[in-house]
Amino acid sequence: MDQSINRYSHTHLWLLIPFFITVLGFSRYWLGFSEAPLHWHLHGLSAMTWYGVLIIQPYLISRKKISLLRKLGIFGVFVAGAVFISAIQVISGNMNINEGPRVAIKYSTSLSELMTMIGFAFAVLAGIYSVRKTDLHAAWMISTVFWVLPPATVRLMFLVLMMIYKSPENLPLPPVILNVLNIGLLLLIICFLIFRHYRKQKVILMPYVVVAFFSVLRLFIIFGLKDSLWVESFIKRFFES
């Protein structure tokens, strides 16, 4: 490990923010925990465990407990695999949506979520490959948060808005604009991370650039393609094969 580990002495505290956002965003799952199907439990619990791994790792780095960090890293690989596999099961459940606002975009949503999980898996693998380059490794690991955070933040946004406006018809802005605002806020945070590191180290961290690009692409897939015939055909073929 190089001297850059000192830059991550408080990272574990910052990572608590997306953890609690995710817990609140998926509060309906936790409130209906006993009624949820098994694959939801596997995904929810593995995702929370992954957050735990992300939070504990920079704490261990800052305390220079490298041996324990490596053991946690090996455990984290299996947790990330569980997140990915269980997510595929959850995404396949979109095929059963037959009512509500998501009906019109269930296939494009499934495509964007599939892309998201592939990006998550790639970030984990890239993080493992770059483990000896502290800044790059940290960026790949932290970027996994931004790969999977949008579903939680948009759910939390709508949860708060529904508490205020009571009905979807009373919302001040259409869902597509609210989704754009949601992604826009995440992009601002990602751009801040890119700028902060570039200002200090004169290096652009590509993990953040990649996740920023695909965050914008996610919006285009969901609301631009919507449920076009080729998207529907691809998703059906993928999940029915």
Side-chain angles (χ1 to χ4, degrees):
M1 293 288 177
D2 53 48
Q3 294 301 313
S4 61
I5 61 175
N6 296 324
R7 289 197 286 272
Y8 302 98
S9 58
H10 297 98
T11 301
H12 61 287
L13 298 176
W14 286 108
L15 287 172
L16 287 171
I17 296 175
F19 172 81
F20 286 115
I21 287 175
T22 301
V23 171
L24 292 173
F26 286 93
S27 58
R28 289 181 61 186
Y29 162 71
W30 300 111
L31 293 173
F33 188 84
S34 61
E35 301 174 0
L38 177 60
H39 61 275
W40 284 21
H41 291 318
L42 293 175
H43 184 57
L45 295 176
S46 62
M48 291 299 98
T49 304
W50 176 253
Y51 269 115
V53 170
L54 288 182
I55 292 167
I56 295 171
Q57 278 188 324
Y59 175 82
L60 294 177
I61 290 175
S62 66
R63 300 303 184 274
K64 297 181 174 60
K65 297 183 178 181
I66 307 304
S67 177
L68 187 56
L69 171 68
R70 288 170 178 163
K71 293 177 182 178
L72 183 63
I74 294 172
F75 173 70
V77 173
F78 292 99
V79 174
V83 172
F84 180 84
I85 293 171
S86 59
I88 298 301
Q89 293 297 315
V90 172
I91 296 170
S92 67
N94 290 342
M95 304 302 101
N96 300 322
I97 297 176
N98 295 312
E99 58 182 3
R102 295 187 69 191
V103 171
I105 55 171
K106 67 179 182 180
Y107 295 110
S108 58
T109 298
S110 298
L111 178 60
S112 72
E113 291 175 348
L114 180 61
M115 176 193 73
T116 293
M117 292 316 303
I118 292 173
F120 168 85
F122 177 82
V124 172
L125 293 174
I128 294 171
Y129 181 77
S130 60
V131 69
R132 296 187 181 279
K133 300 177 181 178
T134 303
D135 286 331
L136 186 59
H137 172 73
W140 279 119
M141 291 295 100
I142 295 171
S143 75
T144 63
V145 171
F146 295 104
W147 279 106
V148 299
L149 194 58
T153 54
V154 76
R155 281 173 170 80
L156 182 58
M157 176 190 292
F158 278 100
L159 182 64
V160 173
L161 289 173
M162 290 301 294
M163 292 174 62
I164 298 172
Y165 295 99
K166 309 300 181 185
S167 171
E169 289 75 19
N170 298 329
L171 293 177
L173 295 169
V176 61
I177 301 300
L178 293 172
N179 274 275
V180 169
L181 292 175
N182 173 58
I183 294 297
L185 178 59
L186 292 177
L187 287 175
L188 284 176
I189 297 172
I190 295 171
C191 289
F192 169 76
L193 293 175
I194 294 173
F195 174 77
R196 186 184 66 169
H197 188 82
Y198 181 78
R199 183 169 62 86
K200 295 179 179 179
Q201 304 299 319
K202 304 305 179 185
V203 174
I204 295 176
L205 290 173
M206 289 307 296
Y208 297 137
V209 176
V210 172
V211 74
F213 172 79
F214 279 98
S215 295
V216 176
L217 184 61
R218 174 189 177 90
L219 283 176
F220 172 75
I221 290 174
I222 296 176
F223 297 104
L225 297 179
K226 294 185 177 180
D227 277 0
S228 59
L229 292 177
W230 75 265
V231 172
E232 179 179 350
S233 175
F234 172 78
I235 291 299
K236 284 183 174 178
R237 191 179 302 116
F238 182 88
F239 286 106
E240 292 175 1
S241 59

